[in-house]
């Protein structure tokens, strides 16, 4: 009805192309416009000024002969001042942009190895954006931004890369585990050495205390009982200790049975052996 009356409405963020008898006349901005159709005026079409996005998937090969699919996302829009160029000079804007993206990616990626493609994806996106900006500006389009949103190698290559990464992490874990076990072994050895050292000190002090106690007992007994020698005192002490030991073994319900020579001659032999051992130990200490 509006066109029949010669009126036409252009929505916000859009422009319309005005023609007269098929010839371009003007670009109509948002609002209501009078188009007397009887004088040959008509709307050839409309053009959106909103930012549009085009995702382009391009398959190419890297320098180390790995095929990858590179997905580029191009954000673009028509420039209001060049709306006539954007409307008349391009038949299919999306195909034109896609062709330039293919050209730049297939010229850039083959110069790089696979790892470098991932590292330099921003540089690739910048190259695509610069090339598109230079080419599309003459057609009335502005390239807002270009992003490389995905780099997908072949499935077998991706699996191999994951296995390499997993093997490297397993090797690192094995090294860390071996280092931890090494530290545990060192600390355990140090602990055992310290324990044995302290145990040796305890045994040495215990033996020294026994020797000192026996010496004091022999001296005190010799002084209090005239006519006794040190040998007599030692024999008596050893016999007393022998019977005390037998008594303790028999009184304890949890002790194992121990059979040792118990005749008078055997006791004398044990006393001689113990006394000789103590005397040899004292001689060695001196």
């Amino acid at each position: 009805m509006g066109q029949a009356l010669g009126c036409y409405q252009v929505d916000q963020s859009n422009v319309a192309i005005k023609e007269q008898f098929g010839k371009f006349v003007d670009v109509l901005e948002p609002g209501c416009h009078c188009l007397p159709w009887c004088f040959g005026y008509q709307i050839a079409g409309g053009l959106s000024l909103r930012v549009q996005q085009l995702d382009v998937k391009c398959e190419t090969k890297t320098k180390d002969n790995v095929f990858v699919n590179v997905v580029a996302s191009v954000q673009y829009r028509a420039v209001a001042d060049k709306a006539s160029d954007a409307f008349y000079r391009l038949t299919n804007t999306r195909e034109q942009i896609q062709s330039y993206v293919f050209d730049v990616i297939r010229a850039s990626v083959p110069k790089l190895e696979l790892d470098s493609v991932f590292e330099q994806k921003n540089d690739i996106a910048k190259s695509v954006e610069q090339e598109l900006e230079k080419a599309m500006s003459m057609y009335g389009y502005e390239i807002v931004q270009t992003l490389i949103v995905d780099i997908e190698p072949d499935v077998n290559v991706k699996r191999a890369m994951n296995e390499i990464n997993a093997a490297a992490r397993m090797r690192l874990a094995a090294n860390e585990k071996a280092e931890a076990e090494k530290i545990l072994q060192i600390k355990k050895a140090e602990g055992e050495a310290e324990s044995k050292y302290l145990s040796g000190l305890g045994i040495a002090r215990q033996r020294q205390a026994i020797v000192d106690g026996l010496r004091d007992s022999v001296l005190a007994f010799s002084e209090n009982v005239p006519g006794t020698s040190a040998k007599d005192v030692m024999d008596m002490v050893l016999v007393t200790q022998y019977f005390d030991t037998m008594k303790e073994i028999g009184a304890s319900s949890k002790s194992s049975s121990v059979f040792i020579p118990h005749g008078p001659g055997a006791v004398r032999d044990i006393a001689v052996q113990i006394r000789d051992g103590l005397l040899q130990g004292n001689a060695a200490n001196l």
Side-chain angles (χ1 to χ4, degrees), residues 186-201:
I186 292 174
K187 294 299 181 182
K188 183 179 179 181
E190 292 177 353
E192 291 179 355
E194 184 68 19
S195 176
K196 290 180 180 179
Y197 172 73
L198 295 176
S199 177
L201 289 178

Side-chain angles (χ1 to χ4, degrees), residues 74 96-108 123-139 141-143 146:
V74 181
Q96 185 79 4
I97 293 176
Q98 182 174 331
S99 299
Y100 280 108
V101 172
F102 281 168
D103 180 67
V104 176
I105 290 179
R106 287 175 176 169
S108 301
D123 296 336
I124 298 173
K126 187 175 181 180
S127 299
V128 173
E129 183 175 344
Q130 291 176 349
E131 186 67 24
L132 284 175
E133 184 68 30
K134 182 173 59 177
M136 300 301 294
S137 61
M138 66 179 65
Y139 298 112
Y141 282 93
E142 175 190 3
I143 304 300
T146 302

Side-chain angles (χ1 to χ4, degrees), residues 87-274:
F87 185 82
Y88 288 106
R89 300 190 64 180
L90 281 180
T91 302
N92 193 320
T93 305
R94 301 175 72 86
E95 288 186 0
Q96 185 79 4
I97 293 176
Q98 182 174 331
S99 299
Y100 280 108
V101 172
F102 281 168
D103 180 67
V104 176
I105 290 179
R106 287 175 176 169
S108 301
V109 173
K111 299 177 182 178
L112 304 172
E113 295 183 352
L114 181 60
D115 292 339
S116 299
V117 173
F118 285 95
E119 294 172 358
Q120 301 182 26
K121 71 182 190 68
N122 291 335
D123 296 336
I124 298 173
K126 187 175 181 180
S127 299
V128 173
E129 183 175 344
Q130 291 176 349
E131 186 67 24
L132 284 175
E133 184 68 30
K134 182 173 59 177
M136 300 301 294
S137 61
M138 66 179 65
Y139 298 112
Y141 282 93
E142 175 190 3
I143 304 300
V144 179
Q145 192 173 17
T146 302
L147 303 172
I148 300 297
V149 296
D150 191 18
I151 300 173
E152 185 177 358
D154 182 74
V155 176
N156 295 327
V157 176
K158 187 186 297 185
R159 185 183 302 113
M161 292 174 66
N162 291 334
E163 291 177 355
I164 292 173
N165 189 23
R169 293 183 179 275
M170 290 178 64
R171 182 169 62 252
L172 179 60
N175 291 335
E176 294 294 335
K177 183 178 179 181
E179 188 66 23
E181 292 179 352
K182 176 183 175 182
I183 294 174
L184 289 176
Q185 292 294 334
I186 292 174
K187 294 299 181 182
K188 183 179 179 181
E190 292 177 353
E192 291 179 355
E194 184 68 19
S195 176
K196 290 180 180 179
Y197 172 73
L198 295 176
S199 177
L201 289 178
I203 294 173
R205 292 174 181 174
Q206 180 185 13
R207 290 176 178 175
Q208 185 64 40
I210 293 173
V211 172
D212 294 341
L214 290 174
R215 183 177 63 249
D216 295 339
S217 298
V218 170
L219 292 175
F221 194 88
S222 299
E223 292 175 357
N224 295 328
V225 182
T228 57
S229 64
K231 178 179 179 303
D232 297 333
V233 176
M234 288 296 298
D235 291 340
M236 186 184 67
V237 171
L238 291 175
V239 170
T240 302
Q241 290 182 348
Y242 171 75
F243 284 112
D244 289 341
T245 303
M246 294 295 293
K247 180 180 178 181
E248 291 179 1
I249 292 174
S252 178
S253 61
K254 295 183 179 180
S255 63
S256 301
S257 299
V258 178
F259 297 94
I260 59 176
H262 58 279
V267 174
R268 183 170 58 253
D269 294 338
I270 294 173
V272 172
Q273 294 175 10
I274 295 176

Side-chain angles (χ1 to χ4, degrees), residues 15 17 24 27 47 49 78-89 133 136-142:
V15 292
I17 305 300
F24 170 74
V27 175
L47 193 66
L49 302 180
V79 180
D81 296 338
K82 298 182 178 180
S84 60
D85 292 335
F87 185 82
Y88 288 106
R89 300 190 64 180
E133 184 68 30
M136 300 301 294
S137 61
M138 66 179 65
Y139 298 112
Y141 282 93
E142 175 190 3

